[in-house]
Amino acid sequence: MLNSATWIAIYLPIFMLLFVILPQQRNMQKFVIKKNKNRKGLKIMTNEILKKYIGKECRISTGSLGTNVAGKIVDINENWIEVETKKGMEVINAEFIQSIKII
């Protein structure tokens, strides 16, 4: 049989992960998104700006909330950008884009 110290050593880290750390990270992500939207002078990237990059190889950065995506922009529809990468097709929400660099 397992004694109580062993139970605590096994289940306390799992409890901390599920009920403390993960909810805290979700709340922080929501806070960052809300803060970015409420900034004065913030302009959401429009489709007209993005359409000039269709067919070009780009590196798209979504900042701390995501990763960098490198590939060719295939299509832009509403707030979504379709990118052809080496691994296949990816769809990115334009609201979360921080920068686009032509390769």
Side-chain angles (χ1 to χ4, degrees), residues 1-100:
M1 293 303 269
L2 296 174
N3 61 16
S4 61
T6 307
W7 281 98
I8 291 173
I10 293 172
Y11 290 109
L12 185 62
I14 294 171
F15 175 81
M16 293 290 289
L17 178 69
L18 293 176
F19 296 105
V20 177
I21 296 171
L22 293 178
Q24 216 172 25
Q25 285 182 340
R26 280 190 222 111
N27 288 338
M28 188 57 140
Q29 286 178 344
K30 288 178 186 177
F31 173 76
V32 168
I33 291 169
K34 185 177 179 182
K35 181 180 171 186
N36 284 342
K37 286 184 178 182
N38 290 338
R39 269 194 278 171
K40 292 183 180 179
L42 178 69
K43 294 183 181 178
I44 296 174
M45 197 172 294
T46 62
N47 289 345
E48 291 78 30
I49 295 171
L50 296 171
K51 285 187 180 182
K52 65 182 175 183
Y53 296 119
I54 292 178
K56 295 183 180 179
E57 289 287 326
C58 298
R59 182 176 310 273
I60 300 172
S61 172
T62 56
S64 62
L65 299 177
T67 60
N68 292 334
V69 176
K72 184 167 79 170
I73 296 177
V74 178
D75 189 28
I76 298 171
N77 190 4
E78 295 179 14
N79 280 353
W80 296 94
I81 301 173
E82 189 175 356
V83 180
E84 183 179 350
T85 63
K86 292 178 182 177
K87 296 179 183 179
M89 300 299 281
E90 290 191 34
V91 180
I92 302 169
N93 190 337
E95 290 182 16
F96 297 106
I97 293 176
Q98 288 188 346
S99 66
I100 296 177

